[in-house]
Amino acid sequence: MKRVLALLGIVTVLTACSPAAPTPPAASPTPALSLPPDQPGPGEHSLAIAHGGVKREYKLHAPPGYQPGSALPLVLVLHGQPGNSAGIEGQSGLNPLADKAGFLVAYPQGLGGKWDSGTAGDPASGDVGFVGALIDHLVSTWHADPKRVHVAGFSAGAAFSYRLARELPGRFAAIAPVSGRMDNVPSWTGQLGTANPVSVVTFQGGKDMLSPAWSTTNQSWREAAGCAEPVVTPVPGTQGRAERRVSTCANGGEHVVYAIGPMAHEWPNTREHAVDASTLIAEFFTRHRLP
C-alpha cells in the first residue's frame, strides 16, 4: 500500500512539473480594405465600396455642373459577360449625354467580369445586394436623387437590369435593357403593382442570337406590369428598318420596344444603325421619376 501511495505521489509531482500546453497564437485581425476616398466633384472617378467583406469597384462620371450636395439623377450602366466597367463606359457613350443633361453615371464592375444573380426573392444576395448597397452609397455620399435612379445594361447586363427591377422594387424609375432577354424565374409570379412603377425602354435586334427570346421577354414583362397591347409605329427616317412599340402599364410605367431588324447583338448607334440607343435612353430616363 505504501508503495502504491509513493508511486501516486511521483506521478502527481511529475504532472505538476510538466510544462503547460502552448497557447495558440491570437488570430491576426482581418486587414481593413483599402478604398479610394470619395471626393464628390465633377469629372471621372475610380472608386470602390466594401460589400460583404469584398472591395467592389466602380467608375463614376459627374457632369461639369455637379456641385457637392446637389441632387442629380443617377444612371447605372452594366457591362456584358465577360466585360468590365471601362468597356461599357466606352461602348455606351453616355458620359457626354450626362454632361449635357446633368446626371451622374456609375459603371459597376462585376467580379470576374460577370454578374452574380443571387437568390431570387433575397434582395441582399449576390450582386443584387451589391447594386442596392452602391445606390445607397451614392445617394448618401454623392446625393443622387433616390427618385431618379435608373439602370441600363448590355447583354448579360441587360438581363441583370430586369432582375434588379424585380428584386429591388421601388428603387428604379426606369431601366434600359440593350440586346438582353429577361430570365425565366419561377418565383416571379406576382404583378409588379403600383409599388414598383418602373418603366422599360429596350432595344432588340432581328439578327441577334437572342432574338428567339424577344417575344417571350416582352410578353412576360407586359403581363407582370399589366401593360396594354402596344401601339406600333415606324421610327421616322429609318426606311422601315426600325419600329417603336409603346405600351402603357397598370403599374404606372410604360414599356417601349425599339425593334431593329438588321441589328445583331449590339449596342445601336447612328453610325451603324437606324437609332442611337444612348440618346434615346437619356431622353427616356429624363422623363421618368418615381412618385
Side-chain angles (χ1 to χ4, degrees), residues 43-44 60-65 75 77 86 88-107 267 271 276 278-283 286:
E44 310 292 330
L60 182 70
H61 176 83
V75 175
V77 189
I88 194 63
E89 181 181 23
Q91 183 183 27
S92 67
L94 278 167
N95 288 357
L97 295 170
D99 291 345
K100 182 178 179 180
F103 57 85
L104 299 167
V105 195
Y107 304 91
W267 184 293
R271 296 187 304 275
D276 185 82
S278 297
T279 299
L280 293 169
I281 288 170
E283 292 173 352
T286 299

Side-chain angles (χ1 to χ4, degrees), residues 203-215:
F203 300 82
Q204 300 170 346
K207 294 184 178 180
D208 195 320
M209 59 188 175
L210 298 178
S211 60
W214 297 154
S215 177

